[in-house]
Amino acid sequence: MSQSRKIDTDAEPVVDLLIIGGGINGCGIARDAVGRGLSVALFEKGDLAGATSSASTKLFHGGLRYLEYFELRLVREALIERETLLRAMPHISWPMRFVLPYHKDMRFESDTPTSKLLSFFMPWMRGRRPAWLIRLGLFLYDNLGGRKILPGTATRILTGTAEGAPLQDRFAKAYEYSDCWVEDSRLVVLNARDAAARGAHIHTRTEVVSASAENGIWRVTVKTEHETKTMRAKMLVNAAGPWVGDVIHGKLRLNSRENVRLVRGSHIVTRKLYDHDKCYFFQGTDGRIIFAIPYEQDFTLIGTTDADHDDPSRAPVCTEEERDYLCAFASQYFKRPVTSQDVVWSYSGVRPLYNDGASSATAATRDYTLKIDRSAGAPVLNIFGGKITTYRRLAESALEKIGSVLPLAKGEWTAGVALPGGDFAHDGGPALVAGLKRDYPFLTDFWAWRLMRAYGTEAREILGQANAAADLGQDFGATLTEAEVKWLMSREYARTPEDVLWRRSKLGLRLTTGQVAMLDAWMARNVEQVLRAAE
């Protein structure tokens, strides 16, 4: 596996494809491209999934609310992808039921095309999503994507049920439908690992400083903490996410009119708000929606907001206003109000949407746009927008465009091909956990489930021949051991405690300040030895 300790470019070799950006789009394209016979190098200035791709709502979903904007193609593609992806990564993705409480007297402010039509033809419905409209949307949701694994929509009576218990009594009825959960940042890392296993060179903490075309070939300057070197490529892919515009105008110096709209989405994580494993879909009086989702076994995730974000160099944070908005939104539904004192963590990410001139951040298209620019004398493919559910289809669309420039050895191939650790049945997680607990009796339920959800069948490679927890080396807390940290450093590009605790896992919610410091010291002391052993 290629690591980023040394950039092997002394002779300035020419690769077919040089990808800028190690988020889900860049890593997905790298995997697809190398599997079609192209030589690929990917450069990420920070950690894999270090920005937008680790700050999603963690859902593989069709996008029920996008139906209100008539984005039928996007919704259909996403619905089909849910089950394709479930089969390829059953460890990091699994089905989830969504409960949409309904109350006929709730009113909304909305500027969607659907609400405008309702207001024009049925003015008495202004400010409402009537039950028939919700049922129509859910009918389309059930049938647009050729659903086979996921159960369909059902109407639920909430009174006297586990789903209704945490909600205010006025919500007596709900609609229940299916979507899927995904561990977003692990999805990125596993795509990068699979790409590397097939021959791609993945360089983290390596920034593309500049690029210029010479005789139809890109000459690219890249920089790490220790060195600056150059390499050449027949084609570039600009998958820089929020920085896609900066790459176009600043690093490539292209005079392009294409532009990106940056939309910030913030989330809060609270102490566990209810005791079942279903997600809530809440409609707000402002026309927006949020989710309340079971998270990391002991918490609840609530999000998201939509706000324009003017500067990609300004790190997105969940503001106090956004936090209070999400608390107040959820409190319209839960019996016990959600307050800022319940929040244990918050995070925010910037979605790099294609600027289609929409009137609001909420209305901006979530579809992706791919543009080849040849104005510099060599081709670059710029990636705008996209959503995590359709990353694989975006990669296929990107390869279709790349194939107009570079010869491909074969056609589409990634559908149903398992990511590392995902080589088991889509419903085989419980059996995998039972096997781990049988063969490693020292594992607790929490520990076994956490390992399965992160590593799937590769969990056994981490545990090795251990007969007791002590055999896994130093204990950093919350079931994180030296053996697992070594795996993350040598196989998954982790270099800092933040990489380990907030992207490869979410154990940052559980470790104390002292435990984090202990992990930091251990990683700094052992990084060179671990990487040498992996070579």
Side-chain angles (χ1 to χ4, degrees):
M1 175 177 293
S2 173
Q3 300 283 348
S4 57
R5 298 174 66 219
K6 183 178 188 301
I7 304 170
D8 187 16
T9 58
D10 294 327
E12 290 191 14
V14 179
V15 297
D16 294 322
L17 209 61
L18 189 149
I19 300 171
I20 305 171
I24 189 55
N25 290 339
C27 292
I29 292 170
R31 179 190 184 223
D32 197 337
V34 73
R36 301 200 202 199
L38 298 180
S39 57
V40 176
L42 180 147
F43 293 90
E44 163 56 48
K45 66 179 180 180
D47 183 30
L48 297 173
T52 302
S53 294
S54 59
S56 77
T57 312
K58 328 293 183 195
L59 299 178
F60 274 155
H61 66 131
L64 182 60
R65 73 181 181 89
Y66 304 152
L67 291 173
E68 289 193 302
Y69 295 94
F70 304 134
E71 297 212 46
L72 295 180
R73 188 211 65 79
L74 174 63
V75 173
R76 182 175 185 274
E77 181 177 84
L79 290 172
I80 293 171
E81 276 298 284
R82 294 179 310 176
E83 298 201 4
T84 300
L85 298 173
L86 277 177
R87 291 186 175 94
M89 54 195 78
H91 49 331
I92 63 167
S93 180
W94 54 90
M96 184 175 284
R97 293 293 277 174
F98 287 67
V99 178
L100 195 166
Y102 179 74
H103 190 270
K104 65 180 181 180
D105 292 330
M106 288 199 71
R107 302 186 68 86
F108 309 93
E109 297 176 10
S110 178
D111 63 352
T112 68
T114 301
S115 66
K116 290 176 180 177
L117 282 174
L118 283 175
S119 297
F120 181 80
F121 289 107
M122 293 173 285
W124 64 91
M125 294 304 305
R126 183 174 291 115
R128 295 178 181 171
R129 291 185 181 99
W132 66 262
L133 181 64
I134 294 173
R135 286 196 299 267
L136 174 61
L138 290 169
F139 173 81
L140 292 173
Y141 211 68
D142 275 349
N143 292 283
L144 278 175
R147 179 178 46 84
K148 295 179 181 178
I149 296 175
L150 300 172
T153 297
T155 301
R156 298 293 186 211
I157 301 301
L158 294 174
T159 305
T161 66
E163 295 86 349
L167 301 179
Q168 296 172 21
D169 292 339
R170 63 190 176 120
F171 298 106
K173 175 183 176 181
Y175 301 101
E176 186 176 298
Y177 69 96
S178 292
D179 262 323
C180 306
W181 175 266
V182 64
E183 298 287 356
D184 53 4
S185 51
R186 291 208 56 75
L187 175 65
V188 178
V189 170
L190 294 183
N191 270 272
R193 281 189 55 207
D194 198 59
R198 297 174 190 275
H201 296 273
I202 308 296
H203 300 279
T204 62
R205 292 175 166 80
T206 308
E207 183 178 5
V208 171
V209 178
S210 63
S212 59
E214 299 176 359
N215 301 317
I217 299 292
W218 286 102
R219 193 167 190 268
V220 183
T221 302
V222 296
K223 180 179 71 173
T224 69
E225 181 183 357
H226 303 294
E227 59 183 346
T228 298
K229 291 196 174 183
T230 59
M231 88 182 284
R232 295 186 294 163
K234 297 175 183 177
M235 186 174 185
L236 301 184
V237 173
N238 175 10
W243 296 273
V244 63
D246 285 1
V247 169
I248 291 172
H249 302 293
K251 299 184 186 299
L252 307 185
R253 297 183 295 279
L254 300 177
N255 186 23
S256 173
R257 295 182 180 179
E258 304 296 340
N259 204 359
V260 67
R261 181 171 188 167
L262 302 180
V263 175
R264 186 177 68 252
S266 294
H267 303 75
I268 57 175
V269 174
T270 71
R271 298 176 184 88
K272 192 173 185 179
L273 298 178
Y274 53 88
D275 292 325
H276 60 79
D277 61 357
K278 296 179 182 178
C279 166
Y280 288 107
F281 178 119
F282 293 152
Q283 304 178 82
T285 54
D286 58 0
R288 297 206 66 257
I289 64 99
I290 63 168
F291 298 103
I293 310 172
Y295 190 61
E296 294 294 315
Q297 301 190 41
D298 297 311
F299 305 92
T300 301
L301 171 65
I302 300 175
T304 179
T305 61
D306 275 321
D308 285 313
H309 190 85
D310 56 359
D311 184 0
S313 66
R314 179 167 58 88
V317 296
C318 179
T319 65
E320 289 186 3
E321 292 77 14
E322 287 175 309
R323 178 202 65 196
D324 293 343
Y325 169 83
L326 291 171
C327 288
F329 197 142
S331 296
Q332 296 178 54
Y333 286 82
F334 287 120
K335 285 178 182 175
R336 187 180 72 80
V338 182
T339 70
S340 59
Q341 284 70 42
D342 295 312
V343 178
V344 298
W345 181 51
S346 65
Y347 66 92
S348 188
V350 176
R351 308 179 192 101
L353 307 179
Y354 185 68
N355 193 352
D356 60 352
S359 60
S360 69
T362 300
T365 181
R366 267 53 176 175
D367 210 345
Y368 51 83
T369 300
L370 313 179
K371 299 280 188 178
I372 289 183
D373 190 320
R374 303 171 187 262
S375 62
V380 55
L381 176 63
N382 295 309
I383 311 293
F384 299 92
K387 55 199 296 282
I388 199 164
T389 312
T390 54
Y391 88 90
R392 193 193 63 83
R393 293 287 291 122
L394 183 151
E396 288 182 338
S397 297
L399 265 296
E400 184 177 349
K401 289 188 173 293
I402 291 166
S404 69
V405 178
L406 302 173
L408 304 177
K410 65 178 182 179
E412 297 173 356
W413 66 274
T414 57
V417 177
L419 288 174
D423 50 339
F424 62 99
H426 70 86
D427 56 356
L432 201 60
V433 169
L436 289 174
K437 292 192 68 180
R438 180 192 65 239
D439 296 338
Y440 301 93
F442 57 87
L443 294 178
T444 63
D445 284 344
F446 170 82
W447 195 352
W449 274 100
R450 186 183 72 78
L451 290 176
M452 189 279 290
R453 287 301 189 202
Y455 308 107
T457 56
E458 291 188 322
R460 290 179 176 275
E461 295 186 44
I462 296 172
L463 295 169
Q465 301 300 313
N467 294 309
D471 296 335
L472 297 171
Q474 187 165 343
D475 177 5
F476 298 105
T479 72
L480 181 66
T481 65
E482 180 179 323
E484 185 175 355
V485 176
K486 284 182 176 179
W487 171 279
L488 294 174
M489 294 171 71
S490 64
R491 302 287 292 274
E492 296 197 1
Y493 307 94
R495 294 292 177 272
T496 70
E498 184 178 5
D499 300 346
V500 171
L501 300 178
W502 294 109
R503 285 184 284 274
R504 308 308 184 276
S505 75
K506 291 296 181 288
L507 291 174
L509 288 166
R510 301 178 183 275
L511 264 65
T512 66
T513 301
Q515 289 170 327
V516 174
M518 180 171 60
L519 173 63
D520 190 10
W522 188 94
M523 293 180 72
R525 188 169 62 248
N526 290 280
V527 59
E528 292 298 327
Q529 177 184 348
V530 171
L531 294 183
R532 278 197 303 270
E535 290 178 348

